[in-house]
Structure formats: C-alpha cells, structure tokens
Amino acid sequence: QLQLVESGGGLVQPGGSLRLSCAAPGFTLDYFAIGWFRQAPGKEREGVSCVSNSGGSTKYADSVKGRFTISRDDAKNTVFLQMNSLQPEDTAVYFCAAALGFRLCVPSEYPYWGQGTQVTVSS
C-alpha cells in the first residue's frame, strides 16, 4: 500500500516559518492529488491545503491563505508545505495524504495517509 512520510515539523516561535515535506518511497507522487491536513487537540481533522496531481490547482483553508504555500517538485518526488507567519493556533499534528482525484480538500476524500509530524508554535 501507499505509505506517506512527513518531515519538517518542530517547535517554532510565533512569526516563524517551517517547511514540511511529504514523500512516498517506492511510489511516484505525481499520480496523486496531495493534501495537507492538521489536527489540534480537541478539534476535528481539517484540510489545510491540497494540490492536484498536475500542480495546476490548489486549495487553501481560509485560516492559512496568504501564509502557507503548497507546492510539488516532481524531480524530487516530494510535496511541500511552506508555512510562514506561524501562530499558536497553527499548532497541530500535520498529515499529508494522497488521493486519486482532486475534489474537496477534506479528509474523507484522501485514502492514503502518513503518520503525521508535530508542529508547535509557542514562545
């Protein structure tokens, strides 16, 4: 089965930046739409950003528009989430996920998931 691996999480101060990476050893990710999702304690898992397999279409949650950028580098077989101007409200476990299609940027549309990487924004 397709197994995704996230990296790049960590502890950052408010206003700082992190870049998350999503990879899938043994698979070519350009066949898949890729989404980044997050889950904070006591909250439902939510879509942060999704990108089509071609990279031509993206979606962002209103809360991250203008701060986060999703991109994919097919040569590196990797999808990135650049997170700038991070705030404490962004603290969550971040997951990448894959789907054979690009519909809604919601967890139920994405069958394949990574284990998640912790992002903590705190002073």
Side-chain angles (χ1 to χ4, degrees):
Q1 67 275 17
L2 176 62
Q3 295 181 356
L4 305 176
V5 181
E6 306 96 335
S7 62
L11 175 65
V12 65
Q13 293 184 335
S17 298
L18 286 172
R19 188 180 73 164
L20 306 184
S21 299
C22 177
F27 291 84
T28 301
L29 283 182
D30 58 6
Y31 287 105
F32 301 92
I34 300 295
W36 285 99
F37 302 84
R38 67 186 182 187
Q39 189 163 21
K43 295 185 177 180
E44 295 291 318
R45 190 170 297 184
E46 65 173 347
V48 177
S49 183
C50 295
V51 62
S52 63
N53 61 337
S54 68
S57 297
T58 59
K59 298 178 180 179
Y60 294 93
D62 288 342
S63 60
V64 307
K65 287 180 180 177
R67 299 190 297 122
F68 291 10
T69 303
I70 192 169
S71 63
R72 56 197 313 159
D73 187 334
D74 290 343
K76 297 180 179 179
N77 197 33
T78 303
V79 178
F80 301 100
L81 183 68
Q82 179 67 44
M83 306 187 295
N84 298 327
S85 301
L86 284 162
Q87 300 300 313
E89 308 89 80
D90 298 314
T91 295
V93 177
Y94 283 70
F95 301 87
C96 66
L100 291 171
F102 186 68
R103 296 182 178 180
L104 301 177
C105 193
V106 298
S108 62
E109 294 286 337
Y110 285 77
Y112 309 106
W113 292 80
Q115 294 297 309
T117 185
Q118 177 71 46
V119 172
T120 302
V121 185
S122 177
S123 60

